Amino acid sequence: MCRAVLESEEGQSTAKGINDGIMYLMAVPYLLVAGIAFMIYWKYFREKKENK
């Protein structure tokens, strides 16, 4: 039903907004995982440097 409404609208502004929202929702988990991985890497790197 949503697809039919979005395809029938002229100008496609609502469809663009929906697509932007989907991309935002898809990006957040990847950014969180990348941030956690960076923090783990940074902690390991600092400990390795301090031990030298």
Side-chain angles (χ1 to χ4, degrees):
M1 186 170 180
C2 292
R3 176 183 271 181
V5 170
L6 293 175
E7 288 177 351
S8 66
E9 180 188 354
E10 291 189 29
Q12 301 295 319
S13 62
T14 304
K16 185 177 183 318
I18 294 291
N19 287 338
D20 290 343
I22 291 169
M23 294 302 291
Y24 173 76
L25 290 173
M26 286 178 58
V28 170
Y30 288 105
L31 292 173
L32 289 173
V33 170
I36 291 169
F38 176 75
M39 287 173 33
I40 292 170
Y41 170 77
W42 186 254
K43 180 177 169 47
Y44 173 75
F45 179 71
R46 283 177 54 183
E47 285 180 3
K48 188 175 177 184
K49 189 175 182 180
E50 289 175 0
N51 289 335
K52 283 189 176 183

